Amino acid sequence: MPAYEPVIGLEVHAELQTRSKMFCSCPVVDLTTAEPNTAVCEVCAGMPGTLPVINERAVEYALRVALALDCQIHQQSIFARKNYFYPDLPKGYQISQYELPLATQGRLIIRTSQGERAVRIRRVHLEEDTGKLTHVERNGERYSLVDLNRAGVPLLEIVSEPDLHSVEEVRAYATTLRQLLRYLGVNSGDMQKGVIRFEANVSVRPVGSNQLGTRVEIKNLNSFRALEESVAYEIERQIRILERGGRVEQQTLGWDEARRVTVPQRSKEEAHDYRYFPEPDLPPLLIDDAWLERVRQSLPEMPWARYRRFREAYGLSEYDAGLLTAEKAVADFYEAAVAASQGQVPPKMVANWLLSEVFRWLNEHGKSITELPFDAKAFAALLRAVHTGAINKNTGQKVLAEMFATGQHPDRIIEAKGLRQISDADQIQAWVNEVLDAHPKEVAKYLAGKTSVINWLFGQVMRRARGRANPQAVRQALEAALKRRADIAD
Ligand code: ADP
Ligand code: MG
Ligand code: ZN
């Protein structure tokens, strides 16, 4: 029996979060909080006699994405009407791009357990979003509510070639694309608000074949989880059909979240069913060299480039570099802290504290790094105090807790609470002697060979020092003192 290889191509719809809509001046509002139908005008409600006007900022955002994806930019592209009837589409057509899209032939580098790979991008085009339907059932009556706040919101469609061959690659592609959109500042990445949606085209073929199998298209996937689960389900379903000697039917499917199965939807339209034709109300979209160059210059460092640089410049592990570059704001904070530490704190230590202590607090409080009550400089000052031994690690964690709570500068907290680390040898010696004198039984146990008791004694000394003693110095003094007592006992 031949082994089968999955073949997947993704279509990603991302809202471009401009201030106003694609073809009118209505604001782009948060669908989850705005009153329905409060951001609607004649244009986006599809009144006869109105005319669309292209949103320059939306084009600029689209160019950012297309350039970041290494696409070939078409400096002249054409808007087209995609005609179909649906209650969320007031005009009876969607303005999109078809034969001549904004950009084609790009690529996105993804990272999986197999290493790095380029996934080819087929096209990137601009269009407008539809309204939103809410299906309700009340007192036995079923009806649908229409909210046109989303109608006309700029939408970017990014279509990959069928280059993905596992669920892992699908996940990597989708998350990398989301990361990129956020880096570019064109989309919040807030999946719960539906600002990014996926469609997965899935087929399978015998390993070694270079022909494409019959594909299905899974529509309306609004989360990474739905994307991954539905693709995994389809791969298995199709392999089972082929193993039985059957044929996969080309169809459009939906994903039933509750039952976790794909379900057939309306049969797939062919392009001619949409009766695409050039939008007569809009001129061709022209992008001159100067504009293109301006956008190119404005691009930030790409996440994958930053990842590589973090690994090389700061000696970070794949895992740490991945976490630190996942979000631009995190990477910015990290680099600002490293810079502020002026070479006095190892970059690896900055990474450790950020990824453990700070991330834990952010997770616990459901906050993002931009909401920290202190800046990267203050964070660097704390780490400098720990690294130079002004305070010990434990005290550092306590100071950080105080910084989270009050936003105060670490130096002020250390001074105000008298937390400065004590390394004075005489003082430490005195604490060690006090502890050993106070606990003759434990000392005897240690001398009798139960050396792990030293950890308990260490704790007692630190306690006497109210946590401020230099731990290395305490350990050394403790070992030396116990050794002296052992020599005497011999
Ligand atoms: P449509 O616009 O009708 O959905 P396209 O030809 O534009 O069709 O393809 C859409 C997506 O389907 C692309 O991402 C493409 O890579 C993918 N695709 C096309 N053929 C296959 C196939 N046989 N198996 C998996 N994906 C496919
Ligand atoms: Mg499609
Ligand atoms: Zn409007």
Side-chain angles (χ1 to χ4, degrees):
M1 199 177 294
Y4 291 95
E5 172 189 53
V7 178
I8 303 128
L10 286 189
E11 296 167 70
V12 178
H13 283 101
E15 281 183 11
L16 295 176
Q17 298 183 299
T18 48
R19 270 204 294 272
S20 58
K21 289 187 181 179
M22 187 66 223
F23 300 114
C24 64
S25 57
C26 288
V28 170
V29 296
D30 183 341
L31 282 203
T32 59
T33 53
E35 270 300 293
N37 299 308
T38 50
V40 185
C41 72
E42 305 84 337
V43 176
C44 55
M47 300 289 177
T50 59
L51 286 173
V53 177
I54 300 170
N55 180 336
E56 184 177 338
R57 183 57 64 88
V59 176
E60 186 182 319
Y61 281 10
L63 282 175
R64 275 190 210 170
V65 178
L67 286 170
L69 291 173
D70 256 340
C71 286
Q72 185 182 328
I73 309 290
H74 301 288
Q75 288 179 258
Q76 168 162 343
S77 64
I78 306 285
F79 284 101
R81 284 191 186 178
K82 180 180 183 178
N83 300 279
Y84 64 95
F85 172 77
Y86 211 62
D88 63 7
L89 189 70
K91 291 196 295 289
Y93 59 85
Q94 177 190 31
I95 303 180
S96 181
Q97 295 191 304
Y98 182 59
E99 271 173 10
L100 194 52
L102 181 71
T104 53
Q105 291 173 35
R107 60 188 200 130
L108 179 65
I109 311 275
I110 61 169
R111 280 197 311 274
T112 65
S113 54
Q114 313 297 307
E116 285 192 356
R117 251 201 68 211
V119 176
R120 291 171 304 157
I121 305 292
R122 180 177 290 182
R123 55 189 275 138
V124 175
H125 75 243
L126 269 164
E127 56 187 35
E128 55 177 335
D129 211 342
T130 60
K132 191 171 164 53
L133 296 183
T134 308
H135 306 290
V136 282
E137 182 164 358
R138 199 150 54 197
N139 304 330
E141 264 192 275
R142 297 170 66 184
Y143 51 93
S144 298
L145 300 170
V146 185
D147 179 6
L148 293 184
N149 282 349
R150 198 179 68 182
V153 167
L155 206 57
L156 197 65
E157 178 164 344
I158 302 158
V159 183
S160 84
E161 293 292 344
D163 278 356
L164 302 163
H165 299 291
S166 66
V167 173
E168 189 194 3
E169 289 191 349
V170 167
R171 178 194 310 128
Y173 176 85
T175 52
T176 305
L177 198 50
R178 171 178 179 270
Q179 176 195 35
L180 178 64
L181 295 169
R182 299 182 73 207
Y183 259 72
L184 297 172
V186 304
N187 183 291
S188 69
D190 201 340
M191 309 291 295
Q192 267 108 20
K193 292 188 174 159
V195 296
I196 301 177
R197 282 114 57 192
F198 306 107
E199 279 171 34
N201 297 269
V202 184
S203 66
V204 299
R205 66 182 173 193
V207 168
S209 158
N210 53 12
Q211 278 177 1
L212 292 173
T214 307
R215 67 166 156 151
V216 301
E217 182 169 9
I218 317 169
K219 292 254 183 204
N220 289 325
L221 300 166
N222 295 328
S223 67
F224 291 117
R225 189 161 155 203
L227 173 65
E228 289 169 30
E229 289 186 355
S230 64
V231 168
Y233 178 89
E234 262 312 300
I235 292 170
E236 274 194 34
R237 187 186 71 87
Q238 293 183 17
I239 290 176
R240 255 184 282 126
I241 292 175
L242 295 186
E243 282 178 343
R244 281 203 314 263
R247 281 173 52 186
V248 174
E249 190 188 334
Q250 172 161 351
Q251 56 184 338
T252 303
L253 305 171
W255 175 242
D256 185 328
E257 292 271 0
R259 295 193 299 133
R260 293 176 151 191
V261 294
T262 55
V263 286
Q265 292 190 328
R266 66 187 147 84
S267 67
K268 175 117 192 69
E269 307 89 347
E270 295 293 330
H272 61 253
D273 293 334
Y274 287 127
R275 297 170 0 262
Y276 278 105
F277 61 86
E279 167 61 62
D281 289 341
L282 286 172
L285 174 57
L286 300 178
I287 291 146
D288 62 27
D289 296 343
W291 191 9
L292 197 55
E293 201 42 42
R294 262 203 318 281
V295 178
R296 208 190 291 278
Q297 294 304 325
S298 76
L299 291 180
E301 184 180 17
M302 294 303 149
W304 47 87
R306 214 165 185 187
Y307 168 85
R308 277 191 215 128
R309 189 167 60 74
F310 273 30
R311 294 221 47 206
E312 285 158 21
Y314 305 126
L316 300 178
S317 67
E318 289 180 9
Y319 183 76
D320 287 358
L323 285 176
L324 288 172
T325 55
E327 237 182 274
K328 184 166 179 296
V330 171
D332 288 345
F333 187 94
Y334 173 70
E335 290 211 277
V338 170
S341 75
Q342 297 179 317
Q344 292 177 47
V345 185
K348 177 75 190 143
M349 176 175 169
V350 181
N352 288 345
W353 278 71
L354 188 56
L355 293 175
S356 54
E357 312 294 327
V358 176
F359 269 37
R360 183 177 322 125
W361 186 85
L362 292 175
N363 287 339
E364 275 168 13
H365 292 78
K367 288 195 195 265
S368 73
I369 196 141
T370 52
E371 297 170 292
L372 277 181
F374 51 83
D375 62 13
K377 276 198 186 127
F379 184 57
L382 168 73
L383 299 187
R384 204 160 46 221
V386 175
H387 190 63
T388 58
I391 57 176
N392 65 38
K393 185 172 178 212
N394 244 308
T395 306
Q397 284 166 340
K398 282 184 205 143
V399 173
L400 183 57
E402 194 70 17
M403 290 166 69
F404 285 133
T406 66
Q408 269 195 353
H409 196 275
D411 294 347
R412 273 192 60 189
I413 298 170
I414 292 165
E415 285 318 319
K417 303 207 160 187
L419 294 174
R420 207 156 274 284
Q421 175 163 274
I422 297 165
S423 299
D424 179 72
D426 293 340
Q427 176 63 72
I428 288 176
Q429 193 60 57
W431 281 322
V432 166
N433 287 337
E434 281 166 34
V435 166
L436 296 188
D437 292 343
H439 300 287
K441 266 195 223 146
E442 279 70 20
V443 173
K445 271 191 208 159
Y446 178 87
L447 296 180
K450 195 160 184 284
T451 53
S452 63
V453 176
I454 196 170
N455 293 326
W456 184 86
L457 291 166
F458 173 82
Q460 294 303 307
V461 178
M462 289 307 280
R463 191 170 193 183
R464 207 163 271 253
R466 288 200 292 122
R468 295 162 306 165
N470 179 331
Q472 271 102 26
V474 169
R475 201 162 275 281
Q476 277 168 12
L478 195 55
E479 277 165 5
L482 285 166
K483 187 160 185 305
R484 277 198 302 278
R485 292 191 187 207
D487 292 343
I488 293 165
D490 278 346

